[in-house]
């Protein structure tokens, strides 16, 4: 199984000429294809090759001809589809500015720079801006763990697809994960349904970051109410920063989950979030806005991609009622008087944390079993996840007193 992760890099250089020429090549290919009625890449290349060479060789390597033909045929395929559906009235498709796709032959990735071949023995070197995130991929590439696919160069960034051959692992435990606004709760089960561990990550910081930025936004709106253009620009800048901070934090949270999954060699089971969105939408509007902004999907996406990257299997199950049924007897749980996130089973006489319940029911649903061994009512450990990604271990009893005031 091959897993691809596309990573963006910003770069220092400016090379308008290559962008302009490449766009001309694609437009040339499109015109020729339309004139001659050719739709296949191979035939188009054959038909235009000599003329292309007269115009662009030796300034450009003949691989640019192949690349331009490939892109032109893809653009035309899309264009014809749109035309058939009546979505466009144009005679020929438009080619985007500032976009180059380069085959493996045309560049050499060197870690912090990329050397692009324009013609035989003539090169452009792009110096990449490497952040912490990008560096991890470069290091893995240097160790020989990753390959690189066709790169896409845009006017302000470059996309490098890192490829990894992943050997699917056979897991011997199951890890179920429940994600909500403030916590990620997971449980690990052995092969016979015994609970090995139940833990909670308190991701309080995500909410704090959102709150910080909504205060900032309000302030800007007040201050700049008479300068709407400036206000819009500044608000955009802030929302970009907010997004990056949240994503960075969620990346760190997902890494903690994955290192646990690797430790136990688990199959991952998560809720199918399509269902979650539906149930959220029924609740009030303010909550919905907050939750949507929270972007569970993003955290789940980070987890999923990291799980696949490591070769462990992932499964999604319908979470319907998973947080309100007793994981032991299956009866509907009632609200507890001892705290908002606690639920009580009248038959078993136990009080469970709501998210712990969800992880157990996810397990029962995914494995299609009726019972578990040694379930907990509260997590074994609670970790407060700081913005830097380190966890502070909290005393479970204190945590529940601290966070769960009686209603
Ligand atoms: Zn029960």
């Amino acid at each position: 199984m091959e897993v691809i992760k596309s990573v963006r890099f910003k770069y220092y250089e400016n090379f308008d000429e290559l962008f302009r020429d490449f766009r001309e090549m694609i437009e040339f290919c499109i015109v020729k294809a339309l004139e001659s009625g050719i739709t296949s890449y191979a035939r188009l290349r054959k038909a235009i090759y000599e003329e292309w060479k007269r115009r662009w060789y030796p300034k450009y390597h003949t691989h640019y001809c192949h690349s331009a033909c490939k892109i032109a045929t893809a653009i035309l395929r899309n264009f014809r589809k749109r035309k058939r559906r009546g979505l466009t009235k144009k005679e020929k498709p438009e080619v985007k500015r500032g976009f180059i796709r380069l085959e493996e032959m045309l560049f050499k990735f060197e870690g912090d720079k990329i050397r692009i071949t324009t013609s035989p023995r003539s090169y452009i070197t792009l110096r990449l801006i490497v952040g912490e995130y990008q560096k991890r991929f470069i290091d893995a590439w240097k160790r020989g763990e990753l390959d690189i696919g066709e790169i896409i160069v845009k006017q302000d960034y470059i996309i490098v697809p890192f490829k990894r051959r992943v050997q699917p692992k056979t897991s011997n435990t199951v890890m179920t994960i429940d994600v909500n606004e403030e916590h990620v709760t997971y449980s690990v089960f052995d092969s016979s349904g015994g609970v090995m561990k139940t833990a909670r990550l308190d991701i309080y910081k995500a909410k704090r970051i959102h709150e910080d930025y909504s205060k900032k936004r309000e302030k800007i709106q007040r201050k700049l109410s008479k300068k709407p253009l400036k206000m819009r620009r500044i608000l955009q800048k802030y929302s970009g920063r907010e997004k990056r901070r949240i994503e960075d934090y969620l990346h760190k949270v997902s890494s903690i989950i994955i290192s646990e999954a690797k430790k136990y060699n688990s199959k991952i089971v998560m809720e199918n979030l399509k269902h979650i969105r539906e149930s959220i939408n029924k609740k009030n509007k303010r909550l919905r806005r907050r939750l949507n902004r929270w972007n569970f999907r993003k955290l789940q996406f980070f987890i999923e991609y990291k799980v696949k990257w490591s070769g462990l299997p992932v499964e999604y199950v319908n979470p319907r009622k998973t947080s309100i049924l007793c994981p032991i007897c299956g009866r509907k749980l009632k609200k507890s008087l001892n705290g908002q996130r606690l639920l009580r089973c009248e038959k078993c006489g136990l009080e469970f944390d709501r998210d712990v319940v969800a992880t157990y029911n996810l397990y029962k649903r995914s494995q299609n079993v009726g019972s578990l061994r040694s379930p907990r009512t509260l997590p074994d450990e609670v970790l407060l996840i700081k913005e830097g990604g380190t966890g502070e271990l909290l005393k479970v009893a204190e945590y529940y007193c601290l966070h769960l005031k009686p209603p």
Side-chain angles (χ1 to χ4, degrees), residues 326 328-329 345 347-348:
C326 174
I328 296 168
C329 68
C345 177
K347 191 176 169 200
C348 305

Side-chain angles (χ1 to χ4, degrees), residues 325-333 344-350 352:
L325 299 178
C326 174
I328 296 168
C329 68
R331 203 183 244 229
K332 198 172 165 196
L333 297 164
R344 183 166 47 97
C345 177
E346 285 178 339
K347 191 176 169 200
C348 305
L350 291 169
F352 295 95

